[in-house]
Each structure stands twice: as C-alpha cells, then as structure tokens.
Amino acid sequence: HELGHALFNILSGGTVHAMVIHMDGSGETLTSGGSEALTIMGGFIGSALFGNLLFYTGLKANQTTKVFAFLLIILFILASVFWMKTSFTIFWMIVYVVIIWLLTFNSKILSYSFMFIGILSTVYVLRDYDIGPSSDLKAYEQTIGFFSATIWMYVWLAIAIGLCTLNGYFIYKTSKIN
C-alpha cells in the first residue's frame, strides 16, 4: 500500500521523502510534488495492481517468476535505503527480502507464494476500506472534491474489480492457448 503511494508519486513527477509502517499495520508515505490525486489513489490501486501482477506472474512458475522476485528484492532494498526511516520498517523490509530470496531456490514454492500473496494483496484493498474514509479516501475527497469519500470508495473498488477481471481474462486466454 505505502509503496503504491510512493510509486504513483514518482510516476507523476514527485519526490518521496519517507515511508513508515507502524506496528498496527498502518503507514505513512511523505511526498512532495507530483499529482496529489494519483499519490493518494496509489495506495489502493497500487495494492490491486501489485496483487494482480503477483498472481499472474506466479501462475507461470518459470524464469519470469524468478526475475520478478529479484526485481521485488531490488525495489525493497532501494525503498529501505532511501525511504524507510524507522528500524521497525527497515527490519520488516529486510525480512521480506530474505524470504523472497529464499523462495527463489524453489520455483514451484515461489510460484504458489506469489499467487497466494497476490490474492491477499488484492483482497487487502477491501480490508483497507474499513480504514479508508478516515484516511486516504477522506484525503482524496478533500483533494478532488465533487464526490464524497464513500463514492470514491466505490470508484476505487470498481477499478480494483476491473483489474481483477482483466487479469482473469489474461489468465483465461493464456490457459486456453496452452
């Protein structure tokens, strides 16, 4: 979720200053510049994109899966070096890096793990809505206006469902060909 905020901020021309994950699972990403609307939306949509990408990549159980794992390791290391500001956050990023690296030794386990984490990451978007109206969705309502946080919640949910549907379509087309 927080990496989604960071990546959407960077893609819209902004700068990430810090990321903090708290012990209760909540987090903050401090940014400047870029599109505030895209940065705020990046947490929810980024989780949905990441989850779908992980699931799709996990289906392959081939060299692409391992390459994606190493790209994740690099992303997590870079995030830890440049953006993570608390020892708690850095510790957990190191744990994730080590786990992903260990999983690369067995393609099948890596594949199943990616599919499982992909589903969890996508479903997490729904869990996020319990917190949303008081955080990201409320901020989005204040930034964009013209819709309430509740309406934006359903718009974001529709986008997440659309991404899952598109991923399902690609999976179906791929399995039909093979």
Side-chain angles (χ1 to χ4, degrees), residues 25-48:
S26 65
E28 304 171 64
T29 302
L30 305 173
T31 63
S32 62
S35 167
E36 190 175 357
L38 286 176
T39 301
I40 294 169
M41 187 191 299
F44 289 103
I45 304 305
S47 290

Side-chain angles (χ1 to χ4, degrees), residues 53 56-58 60-71 107 110 114:
L53 185 59
Y56 186 76
T57 305
K60 301 300 175 188
N62 60 19
Q63 195 61 29
T64 303
T65 311
K66 282 189 177 187
V67 168
F68 189 74
F70 286 114
L71 290 174
S107 293
L110 177 65
F114 272 13

Side-chain angles (χ1 to χ4, degrees), residues 50 54 67-77 97 100 114:
F50 178 72
L54 264 181
V67 168
F68 189 74
F70 286 114
L71 290 174
L72 278 180
I73 288 170
I74 291 167
L75 175 64
F76 287 172
I77 289 171
V97 164
I100 294 169
F114 272 13

